[in-house]
Amino acid sequence: MGDSGVRRRYMCRMTAETPTPAEPSSLLKLALELGPLVVFFGVFRYGRELLEIPALHDAMAAATGPAALATESGPLFIATAAFMIAIAVSLAASWSMTRRLPRMAVVTGVVVAVFGGLTLWLQDETFIKMKPTIVNGLFAIALGIGLVQGRSYIKYLMGEAMPMDDRGWMIFTRRWAIFFTFMAVLNEIVWRSQSTEFWVSFKTFGNLPLTMGFMALQLPLLRRHMIEDTVR
């Protein structure tokens, strides 16, 4: 029993002394989230010039074939490859700093890898354009399944940071499910009815303002259902 107690005290001391990864700042988190989108837009914008660099052209030609790069979709193909790499780097950096990965970022990364790979392999830009539809649709379905079961999966993700009562979480989750559905439908309308240039601009500069606007509209709900911290 004495040895066991010593071991327990030793393990507790070692655990307390083991440094934990520092939480990244808000600006760094924002950079990790938006960085891949900025890379996607920038590479698409200058894709034709980048494809004139022999090393980049040869690397992309190995994935899509030189004929595909000569089409109007050439800049989107190289932007897709850059987007996939940027997301992988962002996830690796997040893991390196926090030793954990945001679940939504992982889902997004997997879908980008699958649909981006199909875009390059089949030389068809349709797949990468459908990525936002698939991601938002998956989130909407997951939240909808939770609601049918009487659960709030958003509470599971954000409960510690936003203490709300159960009614508030269910309303909040229902609104997010509707918003994700709206974003999925909107992406389908945009990419099917507008040019690739417009879709890339919408993906880069339209999604974030819409999301921020939606979140701002939820502030009254959060205030009404917030649980006051009674522990002093």
Side-chain angles (χ1 to χ4, degrees):
M1 292 294 292
D3 290 344
S4 177
V6 171
R7 284 195 295 269
R8 282 198 299 271
R9 287 195 298 272
Y10 176 76
M11 292 300 296
C12 290
R13 186 176 66 184
M14 291 297 293
T15 302
E17 293 176 353
T18 301
T20 56
E23 189 72 17
S25 66
S26 298
L27 285 177
L28 184 54
K29 286 182 178 179
L30 186 63
L32 290 175
E33 292 176 3
L34 297 184
L37 273 179
V38 174
V39 169
F40 180 74
F41 177 79
V43 173
F44 175 80
R45 173 65 178 80
Y46 298 100
R48 192 58 64 191
E49 290 85 346
L50 291 171
L51 286 173
E52 293 178 0
I53 301 174
L56 285 177
H57 183 277
D58 293 344
M60 284 301 304
T64 64
L69 299 180
T71 67
E72 292 184 357
S73 298
L76 184 60
F77 292 146
I78 189 173
T80 298
F83 190 40
M84 295 166 65
I85 294 171
I87 285 184
V89 170
S90 175
L91 289 174
S94 183
W95 173 259
S96 176
M97 289 183 291
T98 65
R99 288 296 184 268
R100 63 177 182 269
L101 294 174
R103 292 177 177 84
M104 294 177 69
V106 171
V107 172
T108 300
V110 170
V111 175
V112 168
V114 172
F115 281 77
L118 288 172
T119 297
L120 299 179
W121 182 35
L122 300 176
Q123 298 97 54
D124 189 343
E125 62 185 37
T126 300
F127 294 102
I128 195 62
K129 289 181 176 180
M130 288 183 64
K131 189 275 297 181
T133 303
I134 300 299
V135 171
N136 287 306
L138 287 174
F139 288 149
I141 291 171
L143 294 181
I145 291 174
L147 288 169
V148 170
Q149 297 174 340
R151 299 177 181 177
S152 170
Y153 290 145
I154 293 183
K155 179 182 179 181
Y156 173 68
L157 296 174
M158 305 169 59
E160 293 184 0
M162 296 169 44
M164 285 196 300
D165 58 42
D166 289 340
R167 174 174 169 76
W169 278 115
M170 295 302 288
I171 297 173
F172 193 55
T173 303
R174 189 178 303 114
R175 291 182 180 181
W176 270 107
I178 294 172
F179 179 72
F180 282 131
T181 302
F182 166 76
M183 293 300 288
V185 173
L186 181 60
N187 182 72
E188 283 296 293
I189 293 173
V190 171
W191 83 260
R192 291 179 183 275
S193 62
Q194 303 297 322
S195 66
T196 297
E197 289 77 8
F198 184 92
W199 175 80
V200 170
S201 297
F202 166 76
K203 175 180 171 59
T204 307
F205 303 110
N207 286 338
L208 182 60
L210 286 172
T211 302
M212 296 299 291
F214 169 79
M215 292 176 64
L217 291 174
Q218 307 315 305
L219 292 177
L221 171 71
L222 301 181
R223 285 195 292 264
R224 284 197 305 271
H225 293 275
M226 192 69 66
I227 298 175
E228 295 293 336
D229 186 5
T230 58
V231 179
R232 301 297 180 187

mmCIF file of all heavy atoms in Angstrom, residues 134-158:
data_model
loop_
_atom_site.group_PDB
_atom_site.id
_atom_site.type_symbol
_atom_site.label_atom_id
_atom_site.label_comp_id
_atom_site.label_asym_id
_atom_site.label_seq_id
_atom_site.Cartn_x
_atom_site.Cartn_y
_atom_site.Cartn_z
ATOM 1 N N ILE A 134 -21.270 19.240 -49.972
ATOM 2 C CA ILE A 134 -21.161 17.991 -49.223
ATOM 3 C C ILE A 134 -20.863 18.260 -47.754
ATOM 4 O O ILE A 134 -21.492 17.665 -46.856
ATOM 5 C CB ILE A 134 -20.056 17.097 -49.830
ATOM 6 C CG1 ILE A 134 -20.385 16.778 -51.298
ATOM 7 C CG2 ILE A 134 -19.898 15.823 -49.020
ATOM 8 C CD1 ILE A 134 -21.672 16.036 -51.495
ATOM 9 N N VAL A 135 -19.910 19.162 -47.480
ATOM 10 C CA VAL A 135 -19.538 19.451 -46.089
ATOM 11 C C VAL A 135 -20.727 20.023 -45.316
ATOM 12 O O VAL A 135 -21.071 19.540 -44.230
ATOM 13 C CB VAL A 135 -18.343 20.424 -46.041
ATOM 14 C CG1 VAL A 135 -18.100 20.906 -44.611
ATOM 15 C CG2 VAL A 135 -17.088 19.752 -46.569
ATOM 16 N N ASN A 136 -21.375 21.049 -45.871
ATOM 17 C CA ASN A 136 -22.520 21.644 -45.186
ATOM 18 C C ASN A 136 -23.673 20.654 -45.065
ATOM 19 O O ASN A 136 -24.372 20.634 -44.042
ATOM 20 C CB ASN A 136 -22.989 22.897 -45.934
ATOM 21 C CG ASN A 136 -22.045 24.065 -45.749
ATOM 22 O OD1 ASN A 136 -21.715 24.453 -44.632
ATOM 23 N ND2 ASN A 136 -21.583 24.648 -46.839
ATOM 24 N N GLY A 137 -23.860 19.843 -46.095
ATOM 25 C CA GLY A 137 -24.906 18.837 -46.036
ATOM 26 C C GLY A 137 -24.654 17.802 -44.951
ATOM 27 O O GLY A 137 -25.578 17.401 -44.224
ATOM 28 N N LEU A 138 -23.404 17.373 -44.807
ATOM 29 C CA LEU A 138 -23.064 16.404 -43.759
ATOM 30 C C LEU A 138 -23.309 16.979 -42.370
ATOM 31 O O LEU A 138 -23.857 16.306 -41.485
ATOM 32 C CB LEU A 138 -21.609 15.974 -43.904
ATOM 33 C CG LEU A 138 -21.280 15.045 -45.073
ATOM 34 C CD1 LEU A 138 -19.772 14.818 -45.164
ATOM 35 C CD2 LEU A 138 -21.994 13.701 -44.911
ATOM 36 N N PHE A 139 -22.916 18.237 -42.171
ATOM 37 C CA PHE A 139 -23.138 18.866 -40.873
ATOM 38 C C PHE A 139 -24.634 18.990 -40.590
ATOM 39 O O PHE A 139 -25.090 18.747 -39.461
ATOM 40 C CB PHE A 139 -22.484 20.246 -40.832
ATOM 41 C CG PHE A 139 -20.973 20.191 -40.756
ATOM 42 C CD1 PHE A 139 -20.205 21.191 -41.337
ATOM 43 C CD2 PHE A 139 -20.331 19.152 -40.115
ATOM 44 C CE1 PHE A 139 -18.822 21.145 -41.266
ATOM 45 C CE2 PHE A 139 -18.949 19.092 -40.049
ATOM 46 C CZ PHE A 139 -18.193 20.097 -40.618
ATOM 47 N N ALA A 140 -25.406 19.386 -41.603
ATOM 48 C CA ALA A 140 -26.849 19.530 -41.415
ATOM 49 C C ALA A 140 -27.492 18.186 -41.072
ATOM 50 O O ALA A 140 -28.343 18.103 -40.176
ATOM 51 C CB ALA A 140 -27.487 20.111 -42.685
ATOM 52 N N ILE A 141 -27.067 17.134 -41.759
ATOM 53 C CA ILE A 141 -27.626 15.800 -41.494
ATOM 54 C C ILE A 141 -27.257 15.334 -40.095
ATOM 55 O O ILE A 141 -28.096 14.797 -39.353
ATOM 56 C CB ILE A 141 -27.125 14.805 -42.556
ATOM 57 C CG1 ILE A 141 -27.749 15.124 -43.918
ATOM 58 C CG2 ILE A 141 -27.456 13.374 -42.144
ATOM 59 C CD1 ILE A 141 -27.159 14.331 -45.059
ATOM 60 N N ALA A 142 -25.991 15.531 -39.705
ATOM 61 C CA ALA A 142 -25.549 15.099 -38.379
ATOM 62 C C ALA A 142 -26.332 15.818 -37.281
ATOM 63 O O ALA A 142 -26.796 15.189 -36.321
ATOM 64 C CB ALA A 142 -24.052 15.361 -38.219
ATOM 65 N N LEU A 143 -26.501 17.136 -37.436
ATOM 66 C CA LEU A 143 -27.260 17.882 -36.434
ATOM 67 C C LEU A 143 -28.723 17.453 -36.437
ATOM 68 O O LEU A 143 -29.358 17.370 -35.379
ATOM 69 C CB LEU A 143 -27.148 19.380 -36.702
ATOM 70 C CG LEU A 143 -25.758 19.997 -36.532
ATOM 71 C CD1 LEU A 143 -25.813 21.499 -36.805
ATOM 72 C CD2 LEU A 143 -25.199 19.734 -35.147
ATOM 73 N N GLY A 144 -29.268 17.190 -37.625
ATOM 74 C CA GLY A 144 -30.655 16.754 -37.720
ATOM 75 C C GLY A 144 -30.879 15.413 -37.036
ATOM 76 O O GLY A 144 -31.885 15.216 -36.344
ATOM 77 N N ILE A 145 -29.945 14.487 -37.206
ATOM 78 C CA ILE A 145 -30.055 13.189 -36.539
ATOM 79 C C ILE A 145 -30.036 13.370 -35.019
ATOM 80 O O ILE A 145 -30.807 12.747 -34.282
ATOM 81 C CB ILE A 145 -28.903 12.259 -36.983
ATOM 82 C CG1 ILE A 145 -29.094 11.866 -38.450
ATOM 83 C CG2 ILE A 145 -28.838 11.009 -36.104
ATOM 84 C CD1 ILE A 145 -27.939 11.073 -39.028
ATOM 85 N N GLY A 146 -29.146 14.250 -34.548
ATOM 86 C CA GLY A 146 -29.098 14.523 -33.117
ATOM 87 C C GLY A 146 -30.402 15.110 -32.605
ATOM 88 O O GLY A 146 -30.891 14.730 -31.533
ATOM 89 N N LEU A 147 -30.994 16.026 -33.373
ATOM 90 C CA LEU A 147 -32.258 16.629 -32.956
ATOM 91 C C LEU A 147 -33.375 15.589 -32.872
ATOM 92 O O LEU A 147 -34.189 15.618 -31.942
ATOM 93 C CB LEU A 147 -32.648 17.740 -33.943
ATOM 94 C CG LEU A 147 -31.802 19.015 -33.880
ATOM 95 C CD1 LEU A 147 -32.118 19.915 -35.066
ATOM 96 C CD2 LEU A 147 -32.039 19.754 -32.570
ATOM 97 N N VAL A 148 -33.417 14.680 -33.834
ATOM 98 C CA VAL A 148 -34.428 13.617 -33.796
ATOM 99 C C VAL A 148 -34.257 12.762 -32.549
ATOM 100 O O VAL A 148 -35.232 12.293 -31.948
ATOM 101 C CB VAL A 148 -34.331 12.747 -35.069
ATOM 102 C CG1 VAL A 148 -35.197 11.494 -34.946
ATOM 103 C CG2 VAL A 148 -34.748 13.551 -36.295
ATOM 104 N N GLN A 149 -33.011 12.571 -32.128
ATOM 105 C CA GLN A 149 -32.714 11.787 -30.925
ATOM 106 C C GLN A 149 -32.825 12.608 -29.645
ATOM 107 O O GLN A 149 -32.594 12.092 -28.559
ATOM 108 C CB GLN A 149 -31.301 11.198 -31.024
ATOM 109 C CG GLN A 149 -31.125 10.227 -32.178
ATOM 110 C CD GLN A 149 -29.677 9.785 -32.340
ATOM 111 O OE1 GLN A 149 -28.746 10.445 -31.868
ATOM 112 N NE2 GLN A 149 -29.487 8.663 -33.020
ATOM 113 N N GLY A 150 -33.162 13.893 -29.787
ATOM 114 C CA GLY A 150 -33.259 14.746 -28.619
ATOM 115 C C GLY A 150 -31.920 15.200 -28.085
ATOM 116 O O GLY A 150 -31.796 15.525 -26.898
ATOM 117 N N ARG A 151 -30.908 15.247 -28.943
ATOM 118 C CA ARG A 151 -29.566 15.622 -28.528
ATOM 119 C C ARG A 151 -29.088 16.842 -29.306
ATOM 120 O O ARG A 151 -29.504 17.060 -30.436
ATOM 121 C CB ARG A 151 -28.581 14.465 -28.766
ATOM 122 C CG ARG A 151 -28.899 13.201 -28.006
ATOM 123 C CD ARG A 151 -27.912 12.118 -28.365
ATOM 124 N NE ARG A 151 -28.190 10.863 -27.678
ATOM 125 C CZ ARG A 151 -27.504 9.729 -27.869
ATOM 126 N NH1 ARG A 151 -26.509 9.728 -28.743
ATOM 127 N NH2 ARG A 151 -27.825 8.641 -27.202
ATOM 128 N N SER A 152 -28.196 17.586 -28.676
ATOM 129 C CA SER A 152 -27.549 18.716 -29.332
ATOM 130 C C SER A 152 -26.070 18.386 -29.478
ATOM 131 O O SER A 152 -25.321 18.429 -28.493
ATOM 132 C CB SER A 152 -27.731 20.002 -28.526
ATOM 133 O OG SER A 152 -26.900 21.035 -29.051
ATOM 134 N N TYR A 153 -25.648 18.056 -30.692
ATOM 135 C CA TYR A 153 -24.242 17.748 -30.911
ATOM 136 C C TYR A 153 -23.369 19.004 -30.823
ATOM 137 O O TYR A 153 -22.172 18.909 -30.542
ATOM 138 C CB TYR A 153 -24.053 17.072 -32.267
ATOM 139 C CG TYR A 153 -24.610 15.668 -32.314
ATOM 140 C CD1 TYR A 153 -25.187 15.161 -33.463
ATOM 141 C CD2 TYR A 153 -24.554 14.853 -31.194
ATOM 142 C CE1 TYR A 153 -25.702 13.867 -33.507
ATOM 143 C CE2 TYR A 153 -25.071 13.556 -31.220
ATOM 144 C CZ TYR A 153 -25.646 13.070 -32.386
ATOM 145 O OH TYR A 153 -26.152 11.792 -32.413
ATOM 146 N N ILE A 154 -23.965 20.173 -31.059
ATOM 147 C CA ILE A 154 -23.199 21.404 -30.892
ATOM 148 C C ILE A 154 -22.870 21.623 -29.422
ATOM 149 O O ILE A 154 -21.789 22.113 -29.081
ATOM 150 C CB ILE A 154 -23.973 22.603 -31.463
ATOM 151 C CG1 ILE A 154 -24.087 22.473 -32.983
ATOM 152 C CG2 ILE A 154 -23.288 23.916 -31.105
ATOM 153 C CD1 ILE A 154 -24.764 23.641 -33.654
ATOM 154 N N LYS A 155 -23.774 21.242 -28.520
ATOM 155 C CA LYS A 155 -23.489 21.334 -27.087
ATOM 156 C C LYS A 155 -22.286 20.466 -26.739
ATOM 157 O O LYS A 155 -21.442 20.852 -25.914
ATOM 158 C CB LYS A 155 -24.705 20.893 -26.281
ATOM 159 C CG LYS A 155 -24.486 20.943 -24.769
ATOM 160 C CD LYS A 155 -25.720 20.456 -24.020
ATOM 161 C CE LYS A 155 -25.476 20.486 -22.515
ATOM 162 N NZ LYS A 155 -26.661 19.993 -21.763
ATOM 163 N N TYR A 156 -22.191 19.308 -27.376
ATOM 164 C CA TYR A 156 -21.057 18.421 -27.141
ATOM 165 C C TYR A 156 -19.748 19.087 -27.539
ATOM 166 O O TYR A 156 -18.712 18.897 -26.892
ATOM 167 C CB TYR A 156 -21.259 17.121 -27.930
ATOM 168 C CG TYR A 156 -20.083 16.186 -27.915
ATOM 169 C CD1 TYR A 156 -19.698 15.548 -26.746
ATOM 170 C CD2 TYR A 156 -19.367 15.937 -29.075
ATOM 171 C CE1 TYR A 156 -18.614 14.683 -26.732
ATOM 172 C CE2 TYR A 156 -18.280 15.079 -29.076
ATOM 173 C CZ TYR A 156 -17.920 14.450 -27.901
ATOM 174 O OH TYR A 156 -16.839 13.615 -27.892
ATOM 175 N N LEU A 157 -19.789 19.906 -28.593
ATOM 176 C CA LEU A 157 -18.586 20.566 -29.076
ATOM 177 C C LEU A 157 -18.276 21.860 -28.332
ATOM 178 O O LEU A 157 -17.109 22.201 -28.126
ATOM 179 C CB LEU A 157 -18.727 20.884 -30.580
ATOM 180 C CG LEU A 157 -18.837 19.694 -31.533
ATOM 181 C CD1 LEU A 157 -19.123 20.194 -32.941
ATOM 182 C CD2 LEU A 157 -17.557 18.870 -31.512
ATOM 183 N N MET A 158 -19.326 22.603 -27.937
ATOM 184 C CA MET A 158 -19.120 23.963 -27.439
ATOM 185 C C MET A 158 -19.667 24.196 -26.046
ATOM 186 O O MET A 158 -19.665 25.326 -25.555
ATOM 187 C CB MET A 158 -19.772 24.965 -28.408
ATOM 188 C CG MET A 158 -19.315 24.841 -29.842
ATOM 189 S SD MET A 158 -20.317 25.822 -30.998
ATOM 190 C CE MET A 158 -20.105 27.462 -30.336
#
